[in-house]
Structures are given as structure tokens and as C-alpha cells.
Amino acid sequence: MTEPGAVTESLVVPRTGTAVIETRGLTKRYRGGQLAVDGLDLSVPDGSVFGFLGPNGSGKTTTIRMLMGLIAPTSGTARVLGNPMPGAARTVLPQVGTLIEGPALYAFLTGRDNLVRYDSADPTADPRTRHARVAAALDRVGLAAAAGKKAKAYSLGMKQRLGLAAALLQPRRLLVLDEPTNGLDPQGMREIRTLVRELAADGTTVFLSSHLLDEIEQVCTHAAVMARGRLITQGPVADLAAGTRGRLAVTTPDPADAARILKEHGVTGVTVDGDRVTAEPPPREVELADLSGALVHGGVRVRSFGVERASLEDAFVALTGEGFDVAG
Amino acid sequence: MSQAEVAPVRAGRSRSPLWTFGILRSELATTLRRGRTLALLGVLAAVPVLIGIAVRIQTSDGSPAGPPDGGGPAFLSQVTNNGLFLVFAALAVTLPVFLPLTVGVVAGDAIAGEASAGTLRYLLVAPAGRTRLLLTKYTATLAFCLTATLVVAVSALAVGALLFPVGEVTTISGTRIGVGEGLLRAGLIAVTVAASLIGFAALGLFISTLAGSGIAAMAATVGVLITVQILDTIPQLSGIHPYLFPHYWLSFADLLRDPVYWDEIVKNLGLQGLYAAVFGSAAWARFAAKDITA
């Protein structure tokens, strides 16, 4: 992220940084004037499982559509696998498996024939191995038994699996999965997570968009957070959560006294909720043990005391200052 | 992600240029497996059957087919003498309405139908390539034009041979040609009729790149067809008639003259080529730059 000039000039040879997806000031304003994506600088490291996080309507799907060459950016550039999109779509996309905004199928074709159709659309796909690859992809998502059924008879979860199978028809360097667990039951969600981990272990970079925070926390190594079309933050998941300070939490039957004593020791943001007192964690120079000692000295009976680790959800709320379910 | 890692994927697999036609094969197979396509072809096949039976019933008392003044659809009055004329009569009946109607459904749905089903985005990220996909869709539509015309012709030939005698053909010029020559002319006429739909197919494809839903595109395409047909009948607009795509459609009858009168047939084919070039370019310009948000 240092030399913007070099990016637009080098067409094939990427810089030494190993970003599988890299955008600079990527912006999309729809014809109605609505700014869907605003100056996005995204960098997805090679080999990562990258969580792309944000409430519905925050611009995730528009970003993915620009990365896949379906939508032309209003301004800014996007590079996928080192090549500019949408210009290099023909060389880039055969190496990318995609699930965008849910599966789309030909209802009158069988599951198998749907995959044959999508595979035929790829001029780099070898027709001699087509049926073997289709069978392998169906097997991988657990649809081998239903391969001969017409897609209109599929449940939502089966359609989602078939969409995933289409993304796995060829060995891919990058998988872009937009809300891959939509419509799946908890068992199906677990299977998809396992599948994502397997693929990542094989060296495939997985770009996973979701509005489910725990999903991102469970499978992703890196994450980016979007809200209202803007990138709020990005980085390793551990850093994102760490960047948000946790909360000092005290559970006690004497919450009023506890709150008073904490305030006397310079702790800010003290709130009382039943027998739970929470506050901003004290500055580094304050020893936590001194605080707990002060509480006990003041006659406060302490059930539990400590700083709670921030979750990604806390990080998100802290970053956006709003609840996660708000559509931007 | 050095160039060394990118390069093997491009050059490593021994890729055949023929693979690029996989999508055309898939498109043809998909079109033919759609229940709607089969229903359209079924309707087209039924038209000659209806005409043949009607003529057979009407003439069973020995009276000639059609009004005595020679009105009604072209060639109808000759059907009783020669079953081969049912081919010409059936094509003359279906060309103004039924054939373009079915082509309008297939062409109008080509892009818009994939878009509203969401399958368009997956074809494009496969990556089908926008120009390649559009060319595939147009080729498949033209293949449908030919198939639809042949379905009418073959059905008419079968019904005609079954219900009426087949023999030497009297041309419009009054000369007589043998059955073999007559069949050859029938085949040529079927191909000419199919070629008459080239321009309209391109128009339908263009509308398909504009519309958001398959139904809207089909309705708009058929609406344009009807409007243009009406314009073609208003004498005050005779100045624009030579530029309307259906204007020379019925010129295929000139293939039954001896010698064949080519003038209007050539004009027709030229006009179809012009429409294909104009609306094909417009469809490409629209589709290549379109944001695919469905």
C-alpha cells in the first residue's frame, strides 16, 4: 500500500506483496446517485481465509461484483491474482471459484447438468475431464446422491451446495464465497466451515463475505469490516479483536459501592447493570490487582473480577458505533 | 504471486481452441431441453396439420380449396392437386405471425431470461466472456429460426404427402418441374424463410440486453413485431416500407418462378443483414458495458 502509481502500470507482474485481491480507491456510485462503495482500499493476503464483514446493504456484494468484473467501478482500480479487473477477466476468472448472492440454477436441468452447463461456459475447462470433475465436485459438497434430480426439486440448502460445487469445478487459487452458509441448517453450516478449512489447507485463498460475526471468527484468519460503503478496518482477526479494548467487569452483590470505588480510582465509563459493573479498562500503569484490592478494602464482596476479551462483535460495534443489524 | 505462478495456469494445460465452442453446444442443448422450446415447436408442427385437414375436409366434395377468386393464403388452392404445395402454403401462413412469434420468445429471453434467473452472473464469472456469450446466444437463436422453419416444412411435407397426391410442380410462371426439383425448391424456400428471421432475431436479442426480465423482453419483442407489421400495411407510410424488416418476407414465393426471380429475395436478405449488423452492434455495445446487478 505504498506506491499507488506502480499498480496501474504493471499489468502482469505484481509487486512483491502477496495480495490476492488488492483495490485502490474502489468506488461505485449507481445511476440513482447512491454511493454503494466509497474509496475502498482492500488487501487480501495470499493463503488467507479472509472474512468480509458488514451488515446487509453495506456494499459487500457490490464490491464482490466489481472484483468479478460484473460491475464497472465508477473510479479506482481492482486487481485480482495480480491482474487488473475487469480487464483481465479471461485469465483471472478461470482460477477463481465464485458464489455470489446465492446460487442460481436452471430449474429444468438436473443438478449434474447445471454443473456441466457452467463448466462448458469456461473456455479453459477440458471437456474430456468434464464429467469426472462434475462428479468430484458433487461428491465434495455431498450431493452425489441427488445429482440426477431436477434442480427445481432441490431444497434451498441443496441449491446452496450445488452453487458451491460450481465454484469447485476446477482447482482454484481463489474462492469468493458470498454468504455461503445462507439457507443451511447448523449441520450444513458446520460442513461448509470444514470444507472452507480443507480448501484453505490446500493453499486456496478464501474470500468469505458474511453478516454472521461468529462465522467469521470461527474460520477466518483475516477480516475486513465494511459499513455504509466504507472500509472501517482490515487485518488479522486476532489484531482486530485486540485493537478493541475489552471491558473491565466486576460481578458483585454490592454494585453501588463497587461503582463508587472504581470511580474514585479514576476508572471511566462505569455502568451498573444489576449485579454487574462494567467500565473502561484502566490505563496500563494501573495494576489490576490494586483495583481489586481497593474493592475488597472498601467492603465490596467480589464474585468475579477481570478484563473481558473483546469479540469481533465488540470490535464492530466499537468501530461503527452502531448495532450490527443496521442496514446502511 | 509472482509471474512464475501465474504463467503455468495459462500455458501449462494443453488447451484446445475448440473448447471455446463448448458453450455453444451447451446453449443448443439447453435451448432444446427447455419445455417451452418444445411447446413452441409443437405448435408450429401443428399448423400444417390443421391446414391440411381443413383443406381435405373442405375439398372432399370435389370443390377447389380456397375462394374461387384465388384469395386466402398463397398456394392454398394448389394443395389438393399437389401435397408439396402444403409446404409453401404452411410457410406462407406461419411466416408473418407464428414463426416470428416463437423467435421473439427465444431471442427476447436469451439474455434477459438468464439475467432474471441469476444464471447470467455465473455464466459471466465462469467466464463465458460477454462477446462470446452474446455470439453464442445469437447463433443459438438463428439455429432455432432454422429448426422452427424446418419443423413447419417437414410437418407440412409429411401431412401433404399423406393427404394429397404428390407429383410434378407447376411453377408460378406456369412451367412444370419434377418432384425432385420441387423438393429442392421447397428446401431452398425453407432456408430463405429461416434467413428472413435473421434481422428480427437480432432485434429481439438487442431488446433482451435492455430488459430486466425475460417476460418483459419477450413481450416487447413481440410488440415491436406487431407494430412493424401494422406500419407495413399503412399506404401513407409507403416511403418507409422498404426499410421494415418484414416487408420482403413473402418474396420467398419468387423461388417458385421459372426462372427464379431474385430481386426481392436479394433485397430481403440484404435488409436482414442490415438489421443484424445494426441491432447486433447495438446489443453488443449495450451488453459489453452493462452492470450485471441481477
Side-chain angles (χ1 to χ4, degrees):
Chain A
M1 309 274 263
T2 46
E3 34 187 273
V7 178
T8 41
E9 283 154 27
S10 64
L11 278 179
V12 179
V13 187
R15 292 166 313 126
T16 43
T18 51
V20 168
I21 295 174
E22 184 138 48
T23 71
R24 287 296 160 83
L26 195 66
T27 300
K28 180 65 187 182
R29 186 185 290 278
Y30 284 114
R31 266 191 293 177
Q34 182 208 349
L35 195 59
V37 176
D38 184 6
L40 193 68
D41 291 326
L42 194 65
S43 181
V44 177
D46 196 6
S48 63
V49 178
F50 195 97
F52 194 39
L53 194 58
N56 295 323
S58 56
K60 300 190 302 283
T61 298
T62 301
T63 304
I64 290 176
R65 282 176 182 271
M66 283 193 279
L67 292 174
M68 297 297 103
L70 293 172
I71 290 182
T74 309
S75 64
T77 58
R79 300 173 75 82
V80 178
L81 300 176
N83 293 295
M85 288 296 288
R90 286 177 54 173
T91 44
V92 170
L93 290 180
Q95 307 172 56
V96 182
T98 316
L99 183 69
I100 312 172
E101 270 194 291
L105 306 168
Y106 298 87
F108 56 95
L109 294 181
T110 63
R112 185 186 293 113
D113 287 337
N114 267 284
L115 294 188
V116 168
R117 166 104 173 126
Y118 286 135
D119 197 60
S120 307
D122 178 358
T124 71
D126 189 344
R128 290 164 298 188
T129 60
R130 181 160 294 147
H131 284 276
R133 286 183 292 110
V134 164
L138 284 165
D139 199 40
R140 186 137 202 196
V141 298
L143 271 183
K149 265 196 197 171
K150 292 246 163 82
K152 63 182 156 210
Y154 277 23
S155 68
L156 183 57
M158 289 163 84
K159 287 178 180 166
Q160 190 76 7
R161 284 162 193 260
L162 195 62
L164 272 169
L168 301 174
L169 282 168
Q170 295 219 61
R172 312 284 195 186
R173 288 181 58 201
L174 169 65
L175 277 177
V176 175
L177 306 177
D178 190 6
E179 307 275 357
T181 56
N182 252 7
L184 295 179
D185 53 19
Q187 170 64 19
M189 286 172 143
R190 268 195 297 279
E191 286 175 24
I192 298 304
R193 277 187 218 121
T194 309
L195 183 64
V196 166
R197 289 195 190 100
E198 281 173 23
L199 291 162
D202 295 346
T204 308
T205 306
V206 183
F207 185 82
L208 186 80
S209 96
S210 181
H211 65 277
L212 301 174
L213 286 150
D214 56 342
E215 186 168 283
I216 300 279
E217 262 189 317
Q218 283 183 45
V219 296
C220 293
T221 59
H222 294 68
V225 179
M226 277 195 88
R228 297 172 189 275
R230 300 190 73 100
L231 187 66
I232 304 293
T233 185
Q234 62 181 328
V237 166
D239 290 4
L240 289 185
T244 309
R245 308 170 75 204
R247 296 282 289 175
L248 177 68
V250 182
T251 322
T252 168
D254 313 315
D257 289 338
R260 178 179 48 81
I261 292 170
L262 287 175
K263 278 177 190 161
E264 282 169 10
H265 283 77
V267 175
T268 57
V270 179
T271 54
V272 179
D273 178 22
D275 62 352
R276 215 173 111 87
V277 180
T278 61
E280 293 291 321
R284 255 171 232 272
E285 60 271 17
V286 177
E287 173 60 48
L288 279 176
D290 291 344
L291 272 180
S292 66
L295 287 171
V296 174
H297 257 286
V300 174
R301 294 165 292 166
V302 176
R303 282 200 196 112
S304 71
F305 178 91
V307 175
E308 291 175 346
R309 190 179 79 78
S311 70
L312 209 49
E313 181 159 3
D314 296 327
F316 183 86
V317 172
L319 287 163
T320 62
E322 62 192 59
F324 196 73
D325 296 327
V326 178
Chain B
M1 201 172 42
S2 64
Q3 187 171 18
E5 281 175 67
V6 178
V9 186
R10 281 195 212 158
R13 299 180 205 161
S14 57
R15 211 184 282 168
S16 161
L18 284 178
W19 296 358
T20 200
F21 294 106
I23 189 171
L24 179 59
R25 198 180 140 198
S26 160
E27 182 64 36
L28 292 173
T30 308
T31 306
L32 282 180
R33 281 162 77 177
R34 218 176 266 258
R36 190 185 61 210
T37 314
L38 298 176
L40 291 175
L41 293 178
V43 169
L44 286 174
V47 171
V49 177
L50 287 178
I51 299 174
I53 290 174
V55 169
R56 180 67 193 242
I57 291 171
Q58 192 208 348
T59 59
S60 55
D61 56 357
S63 63
D69 58 0
F75 308 113
L76 202 58
S77 52
Q78 283 108 306
V79 170
T80 37
N81 303 325
N82 192 341
L84 204 50
F85 271 90
L86 189 59
V87 176
F88 312 137
L91 287 174
V93 167
T94 50
L95 180 54
V97 183
F98 280 106
L99 273 173
L101 208 65
T102 58
V103 171
V105 169
V106 171
D109 197 47
I111 298 291
E114 299 270 8
S116 53
T119 46
L120 181 61
R121 62 175 184 267
Y122 285 108
L123 290 177
L124 289 180
V125 299
R130 297 195 183 202
T131 307
R132 181 166 161 257
L133 183 60
L134 199 64
L135 281 175
T136 302
K137 286 288 184 185
Y138 190 52
T139 310
T141 307
L142 293 187
F144 177 81
C145 292
L146 187 62
T147 309
T149 312
L150 289 179
V151 161
V152 174
V154 169
S155 165
L157 188 63
V159 173
L162 213 64
L163 297 182
F164 308 102
V166 172
E168 283 191 333
V169 176
T170 309
T171 64
I172 298 176
S173 317
T175 58
R176 296 177 73 81
I177 53 176
V179 177
E181 169 88 20
L183 279 173
L184 197 70
R185 299 264 178 125
L188 201 58
I189 282 176
V191 173
T192 308
V193 166
S196 300
L197 298 165
I198 286 175
F200 179 61
L203 179 65
L205 194 65
F206 172 57
I207 292 174
S208 192
T209 61
L210 299 177
S213 91
I215 302 287
M218 289 184 232
T221 308
V222 171
V224 169
L225 170 73
I226 293 168
T227 310
V228 172
Q229 300 264 44
I230 292 171
L231 292 182
D232 201 26
T233 61
I234 300 177
Q236 285 78 2
L237 297 176
S238 60
I240 62 164
H241 285 173
Y243 305 102
L244 298 178
F245 62 84
H247 187 67
Y248 297 108
W249 271 0
L250 293 178
S251 65
F252 74 82
D254 292 342
L255 286 167
L256 271 187
R257 294 182 197 277
D258 203 17
V260 174
Y261 177 66
W262 290 102
D263 273 21
E264 295 215 332
I265 296 169
V266 170
K267 273 188 195 162
N268 180 27
L269 296 181
L271 192 61
Q272 300 308 321
L274 185 69
Y275 268 79
V278 169
F279 287 103
S281 309
W284 178 80
R286 172 71 189 131
F287 188 54
K290 192 180 189 183
D291 276 353
I292 308 299
T293 53

